[in-house]
Amino acid sequence: MSEIRLYITTTEKLADAALSLMTDAFEEEGYAIATMEIDEKRDIWEASIYMFRPDEAEIHERFAALLAADFPDSEIQREELPDIDWIAKSLEGLKPVRAARFVVHGSHDRGKVRAGEIAIEIDAGQAFGTGHHGTTAGCLEVISGVMRSRRVRRVLDLGTGSGVLAIAARKLGPVQVLATDIDPIATRVARENVRLNGIASGIALETAPGFHSTAFGRHGPFDLIIANILARPLMRMAPQLAAQLAPGGDVILSGILASQRWKVLAAYNGAGLRHVRTIWREGWVTIHLDRR
């Protein structure tokens, strides 16, 4: 299915303003948004939103309404992108990533795993999470620290994507992991990755929008909850997520820009969780909280 890019051409300052408006309007729905410099000397930038063809008419109308007040003279332009798996394309040939005791690698780098490392094989595919993004690597580091310091029996990986974090937790010990995602494609990809990594039991995969699924009641409460999503959904679900946590449990949150850290912390402090530490990577943060 063809992907469409709708965009406006403007200055760097106004592109940032447009990005802020687009983030508030579209981020929680999963639409990709971006700004891009076109000509440094002439200060020409583009602010874009990406969607598939069936959504184009609706998004065009909403995009135009969003821009009407602050960008009345901006013309919305359109580009049809080739039908390419851009995630797989962009991740081809990436080198192994090491975080704590883990090494996350593609199938072409199996020979680069060192003695004593916990190998997780994830090839580029249709779901987020190969370990190369700062959020995933930060989560791996905190998972290792939590499971080294205390006994963990039940783990929830919320928004599992490729399944890399669920696989990491299962490889560290005899835990029972519930891995969920709102996207059935991600659930399928994660299931394939679990098999690829030789895990025959201990990970249950479910397609679950929010906390309405009965899977949470069947598998919880959880000693460790990992949620590598986005800041706004994380803030909104703070009370529900905290309700799934067992007494004395730990929470790992990521997908959070450094500038959003305090808002996320406020939401989870309000839900009764205590900040333990924050890891900073490439402009993103991973937050460790607990209930002690």
Side-chain angles (χ1 to χ4, degrees):
M1 185 183 299
S2 296
E3 190 174 19
I4 307 299
R5 178 173 78 104
L6 299 178
Y7 64 97
I8 60 170
T9 302
T10 183
T11 64
E12 179 180 6
K13 182 178 180 179
L14 291 177
D16 285 343
L19 182 66
S20 179
L21 291 172
M22 293 156 63
T23 299
D24 290 340
F26 297 109
E27 182 183 57
E28 292 186 13
E29 299 176 55
Y31 291 103
I33 55 179
T35 59
M36 179 171 55
E37 184 180 53
I38 305 301
D39 189 320
E40 181 180 6
K41 290 184 178 179
R42 297 166 60 200
D43 191 23
I44 298 176
W45 284 65
E46 290 176 354
S48 308
I49 180 168
Y50 297 80
M51 75 237 53
F52 290 110
R53 190 191 296 274
D55 298 330
E56 181 181 359
E58 177 194 350
I59 298 303
H60 190 287
E61 182 178 350
R62 291 173 58 192
F63 193 27
L66 187 70
L67 299 173
D70 296 330
F71 301 85
D73 299 324
S74 293
E75 177 188 356
I76 297 177
Q77 301 177 71
R78 177 185 188 274
E79 179 185 16
E80 186 164 342
L81 303 172
D83 192 11
I84 295 173
D85 186 346
W86 288 106
I87 296 176
K89 188 72 175 176
S90 66
L91 296 176
E92 285 176 358
L94 287 178
K95 297 177 181 179
V97 167
R98 290 175 166 85
R101 292 180 279 170
F102 299 105
V103 56
V104 185
H105 64 90
S107 55
H108 58 288
D109 277 329
R110 289 173 187 163
K112 295 183 180 179
V113 178
R114 302 166 186 163
E117 289 184 323
I118 300 173
I120 303 175
E121 185 172 315
I122 304 286
D123 275 323
Q126 292 177 290
F128 175 80
T130 63
H132 294 84
H133 196 277
T135 61
T136 310
C139 287
L140 290 170
E141 186 173 334
V142 182
I143 290 168
S144 178
V146 169
M147 294 188 65
R148 186 172 60 244
S149 65
R150 72 180 192 88
R151 184 183 179 190
V152 173
R153 294 175 297 174
R154 296 180 298 274
V155 177
L156 170 61
D157 179 17
L158 191 69
T160 193
S162 68
V164 62
L165 301 179
I167 294 167
R170 185 68 180 90
K171 286 201 169 192
L172 281 175
V175 297
Q176 297 297 311
V177 183
L178 172 63
T180 68
D181 204 286
I182 63 173
D183 183 356
I185 293 176
T187 308
R188 175 179 59 78
V189 170
R191 186 170 287 113
E192 293 170 358
N193 286 330
V194 167
R195 285 197 297 265
L196 174 67
N197 281 272
I199 298 173
S201 64
I203 299 180
L205 287 137
E206 300 268 357
T207 301
F211 285 100
H212 304 298
S213 170
T214 59
F216 299 102
R218 294 196 309 271
H219 293 273
F222 302 95
D223 305 304
L224 173 61
I225 298 177
I226 311 154
N228 183 9
I229 310 177
L230 290 169
R232 282 184 175 82
L234 286 174
M235 288 185 281
R236 189 177 65 248
M237 67 175 63
Q240 294 170 298
L241 188 150
Q244 300 292 332
L245 189 65
D250 292 85
V251 172
I252 302 169
L253 306 176
S254 202
I256 305 161
L257 290 168
S259 60
Q260 300 168 321
R261 174 174 177 263
W262 290 111
K263 292 180 180 179
V264 176
L265 281 173
Y268 281 84
N269 288 339
L273 301 187
R274 179 190 69 151
H275 176 238
V276 179
R277 66 167 172 154
T278 297
I279 291 177
W280 308 72
R281 284 177 179 261
E282 303 162 12
W284 299 84
V285 297
T286 299
I287 299 174
H288 176 199
L289 307 108
D290 67 15
R291 175 183 285 153
R292 293 286 189 263

